[in-house]
Each structure stands twice: as structure tokens, then as C-alpha cells.
Amino acid sequence: MHGPQALARTTPPISLRGLSKPSRAMVARICSEPGVMVKPALALMPLLRACRATLAARQALNKGIKAKAGFTITPGSEQIRATIARDGLDKPLKEIGGVVLANACGPCIGQWNRQDMPKGQANTIVTSYNRNFTGRNDANPETHAFVTSPELVTALTIAGRLDFNPMTDSLTAADGSKFKLEPPTSDELPSRGFDAGEETYQAPPKDQRPSVEVDPSSKRLQLLTPFDKWNGGDLDEMFVLIKVQGKCTTDHISAAGPWLKFRGHLDNISNNMLIGAVNSENGEKNTVRNHMTGEYGGVPDTARHYKAQGKNWVAIGDDNYGEGSSREHAALEPRHLGARAIIVKSFARIHETNLKKQGLLALTFQEPSDYDRICPDDLISIRGLKDMAPGKPLQCVVRHSNGQEETLQLNHTFNDLQINWFRAGSALNFMKLKQ
């Protein structure tokens, strides 16, 4: 459950040296070049950590000082907003200069219309978000994001500088005296339970079936059409759209940030599919060879060309493919653009399930080293689909460009229900069949 966020801004340029991996308990003296503006920013906190951040803020208020940096608090849900408001946890955060934003993920998934830092300028932010991929928070690839606890972000905000260590360093009170912040503590859960807050759900009319009308020319909304169902046969001679090298998170598969304005339009948001993944063939991002034309182009563009020509494709991945956010679009987009299977060394669990829900074959090499046997210009066939059953491997016939073939074993974790999803074309298709 997500709680408040905090955004801090400091303006004095500082020279930082040395640390490349800051401690999760303490962020101090993070390295950068001399003269770079360093701006701590954004803390996302579970409720008990919100309590600790509040206690740190109260200590500052008791000494007559406020935050020396901009400070923004964003509740992650209506329940969290209502609970911290009821228990008075938000008041000290606002009194030291914090600004409360909407109940939303916000900058955690890139929905931060950042105005204080030009895109392309090197800077550092400190967050208590659970992810710090390059450019994730503000779409600026030069923003270096470091992750720590909410109470430490609050302490850095009060101090106004990144080299502040609350365990050893003192602050100056309004009367000129020196004091140190006491380590904050809190209960694990609110003693009065959670407050559900305002009920915002609006039920549809009971006496009629509502219709949804979307402007066909809209660039941000698009009605979904059902994916095609399995044709009953094996999948033969599919192209390898991309063989991904190394880490591939859901951010690499479907980037957030400015792309999220298209999240209601599957075709438009699919233009970001796998543009952050590294192609093993050339070590580049968003540059793959079109096996029908021989030319190199963007990953989504190449997939669209294959789809238009009626050619199925697969993607090959490395370890823990799809880690990170449980982003449904990272599964919807490949399916929309013509993928039939994602074959990897190993999956992040949630993404694996998301692929299954969209009617894609989420498969793993029985021998992880078989990843190295796949070449970007191979043709991939998947056999044994008619007899697909839980725990029963499928066969992958690989035809290399020299005409030679070899057969690899592919494992899967499909249960009986998920196999029905695949056969119907998606989980939604299967649910509709059962109505």
C-alpha cells in the first residue's frame, strides 16, 4: 500500500565525490560533478514510514525551522489520504512547507510535469520509491535517482543538502542553538485501523445497459477489439523480432513517463514496445533488423511490418524478464503487434501471468544456456500445442540461416485454466465464452 510522497528541492551547487551505491539507510555525499545542481526529491512511503517522516517534521517544527527545500506529499490512495488526515500525520508535513498532491502514483511512474529542471541537465533526486530506473520519475535521462527511506528524505529536505547525516550532523534552530534529529519510531499499523475515505465509485444505471462511445479520431482513447484465438495448430517459422540482451524490465518493454497519456489507446502506446531493450545483435536499443527487407528499424515499426504481412514473431529474453511494475501494457503491446510467444531464461512472476492473460505463450528454456543457441535471424517453430498440458514441455524447432535445424525443450507454468486462455486468445475472450 502506498502512502505519501515527498518532493524536496535544494538550490546550492555542491561538489560530491565517491558513492556510487548509496546506503538504503543513509544517503550522504552522493557523487556528481562540481557545480551540478543537486535536488533531493520524491518520497513514497508506506503508512508506518509516513509516521516516522511526520515525527522528523515535528522535531523541526518544535525548533522553529521548516524545510529548506521544496517538499511535496502525494498519498498513493484515498484510503491512505483519509487515514493520515484522520490521525494528523499530514499536518506537520504541510507545516514545514509540504504541498499535498492528488491521490495517485504521480512521479513514481513518470507522471511528473517537472518545471524546476530543464531536460538534459544533470541533477540528482533522492526518493523512497521502489524503483529508480533512468528517467523513470521525470523522463530526464540525466536525472540520477537514489532510493532511501521516507524519513531520511524528510531529514534531507529539512537540512536542504545531500551531505547531511542525521546520525552525526546538527541542525540550527530558530534561536541559533544546535540540535540533532532523534531517530523516529512508529507503530506497524494505525491503532484505529484504516479509514476508507470518500466513496467515489459511481454505479451504472440498474435499469439499462450503458454504452461506451469513443471518438474514432481520439489519440488517447481506443476501444479494444478481441485478440484472435489459437488456430488449433503449431506455430511455424516465426521471426525473432528481438533477442534481448541483459536486464529487461517492464519499463524497457513499455516505458512510462510521457507515454502514459496513451494508456487508453493500445495502438498508440504500442509505439513504445521494447524500445528500451538492448538488441543482442548490435548492442543498441530500438534498432532491429527486418528479416523481410534486410533493413534496420525501430522495434515497434518492424513488428508492425511483420503483422501487416501476416508473419508471426517471438521475442527472446534473458533472466528475470519483465521485472518491475506489474504493467499490463507490457503484455498487451506485444500481443497487439503480432507476438505469439516470449521465450526467456526466466520470468518475473507477475509479468509471466500477464502474458498468459493476453493469450501469449510465456515459455522458458529448459536449459538456460539454450538462450545462446538462438540467433537473431533464426526461424522459430513451437510444436506440441495440440497436446499442451500442465507440466508438459513444448518443443522449439530452430532453423538457422544456414538451413540447419535443432530442437530445444521449452518449459511453461500454464495450468488448465491458463491453457484455456491461450486457446481462446486471451483471458477476456475465455470469460466471454463462459457467459
Side-chain angles (χ1 to χ4, degrees), residues 58-206:
R58 281 177 180 158
Q59 293 180 56
L61 290 171
N62 290 338
K63 294 295 183 177
I65 63 173
K66 296 187 177 182
K68 293 183 179 178
F71 195 41
T72 302
I73 301 97
T74 306
S77 69
E78 170 59 16
Q79 183 184 66
I80 293 297
R81 183 210 63 77
T83 302
I84 64 174
R86 181 200 65 194
D87 295 344
L89 300 180
D90 59 338
K91 187 176 179 181
L93 297 175
K94 290 189 285 187
E95 287 180 351
I96 67 167
V99 176
V100 178
L101 301 182
N103 306 333
C105 293
C108 181
I109 57 169
Q111 292 183 306
W112 180 12
N113 184 19
R114 191 175 182 186
Q115 300 292 320
D116 66 306
M117 181 63 60
K119 190 171 183 178
Q121 181 171 332
N123 71 102
T124 295
I125 64 175
V126 179
T127 89
S128 61
Y129 290 129
N130 54 350
R131 298 180 185 94
N132 62 339
F133 307 144
T134 300
R136 178 183 175 94
N137 303 124
D138 61 358
N140 182 358
E142 295 302 318
T143 295
H144 303 284
F146 295 92
V147 179
T148 187
S149 65
E151 57 265 38
L152 182 54
V153 175
T154 305
L156 295 175
T157 305
I158 295 167
R161 67 180 202 273
L162 284 176
D163 61 351
F164 176 71
N165 182 344
M167 298 176 67
T168 59
D169 297 344
S170 297
L171 295 168
T172 302
D175 62 5
S177 62
K178 299 293 184 180
F179 73 98
K180 290 181 180 178
L181 293 173
E182 294 293 328
T185 59
S186 67
D187 295 331
E188 289 291 327
L189 294 170
S191 60
R192 297 164 58 191
F194 289 96
D195 187 329
E198 297 179 18
E199 178 58 71
T200 57
Y201 173 70
Q202 295 182 7
K206 294 182 179 180

Side-chain angles (χ1 to χ4, degrees), residues 51-365:
C51 297
R52 297 176 188 175
T54 295
L55 289 174
R58 281 177 180 158
Q59 293 180 56
L61 290 171
N62 290 338
K63 294 295 183 177
I65 63 173
K66 296 187 177 182
K68 293 183 179 178
F71 195 41
T72 302
I73 301 97
T74 306
S77 69
E78 170 59 16
Q79 183 184 66
I80 293 297
R81 183 210 63 77
T83 302
I84 64 174
R86 181 200 65 194
D87 295 344
L89 300 180
D90 59 338
K91 187 176 179 181
L93 297 175
K94 290 189 285 187
E95 287 180 351
I96 67 167
V99 176
V100 178
L101 301 182
N103 306 333
C105 293
C108 181
I109 57 169
Q111 292 183 306
W112 180 12
N113 184 19
R114 191 175 182 186
Q115 300 292 320
D116 66 306
M117 181 63 60
K119 190 171 183 178
Q121 181 171 332
N123 71 102
T124 295
I125 64 175
V126 179
T127 89
S128 61
Y129 290 129
N130 54 350
R131 298 180 185 94
N132 62 339
F133 307 144
T134 300
R136 178 183 175 94
N137 303 124
D138 61 358
N140 182 358
E142 295 302 318
T143 295
H144 303 284
F146 295 92
V147 179
T148 187
S149 65
E151 57 265 38
L152 182 54
V153 175
T154 305
L156 295 175
T157 305
I158 295 167
R161 67 180 202 273
L162 284 176
D163 61 351
F164 176 71
N165 182 344
M167 298 176 67
T168 59
D169 297 344
S170 297
L171 295 168
T172 302
D175 62 5
S177 62
K178 299 293 184 180
F179 73 98
K180 290 181 180 178
L181 293 173
E182 294 293 328
T185 59
S186 67
D187 295 331
E188 289 291 327
L189 294 170
S191 60
R192 297 164 58 191
F194 289 96
D195 187 329
E198 297 179 18
E199 178 58 71
T200 57
Y201 173 70
Q202 295 182 7
K206 294 182 179 180
D207 57 346
Q208 61 184 35
R209 185 184 181 92
S211 62
V212 179
E213 296 183 5
V214 175
D215 185 348
S217 64
S218 172
K219 297 185 181 301
R220 300 185 64 169
L221 291 176
Q222 179 188 48
L223 292 175
L224 292 174
T225 56
F227 292 133
D228 61 322
K229 67 178 183 178
W230 174 54
N231 64 10
D234 289 331
L235 297 170
D236 293 321
E237 297 196 335
M238 296 178 288
F239 288 140
V240 175
L241 174 67
I242 182 172
K243 181 182 178 183
V244 177
Q245 176 181 305
K247 186 173 185 176
C248 188
T249 71
T250 50
D251 261 26
H252 294 99
I253 304 168
S254 177
W259 287 98
L260 291 177
K261 63 177 173 286
F262 298 124
R263 61 188 173 184
H265 196 295
L266 180 56
D267 193 57
N268 282 343
I269 200 171
S270 293
N271 288 323
N272 74 3
M273 186 195 71
L274 286 163
I275 61 175
V278 176
N279 181 8
S280 67
E281 184 180 17
N282 53 22
E284 298 181 8
K285 297 179 181 179
N286 199 27
T287 304
V288 295
R289 184 161 33 133
N290 186 317
H291 302 299
M292 301 184 81
T293 66
E295 299 176 351
Y296 282 85
V299 180
D301 296 333
T302 305
R304 289 184 185 279
H305 184 258
Y306 292 162
K307 180 181 179 180
Q309 300 302 315
K311 190 68 177 178
N312 295 327
W313 56 267
V314 304
I316 307 297
D318 213 316
D319 278 313
N320 205 26
Y321 183 90
E323 66 175 291
S325 301
S326 56
R327 191 164 298 163
E328 199 77 18
H329 287 94
L332 282 163
E333 293 173 26
R335 183 70 164 98
H336 175 66
L337 294 186
R340 293 297 176 180
I342 308 296
I343 307 171
V344 302
K345 291 183 181 179
S346 65
F347 280 108
R349 177 182 55 84
I350 295 177
H351 183 62
E352 180 182 19
T353 301
N354 285 346
L355 292 170
K356 294 176 185 178
K357 287 193 295 184
Q358 304 310 330
L360 282 162
L361 289 170
L363 307 171
T364 57
F365 295 106

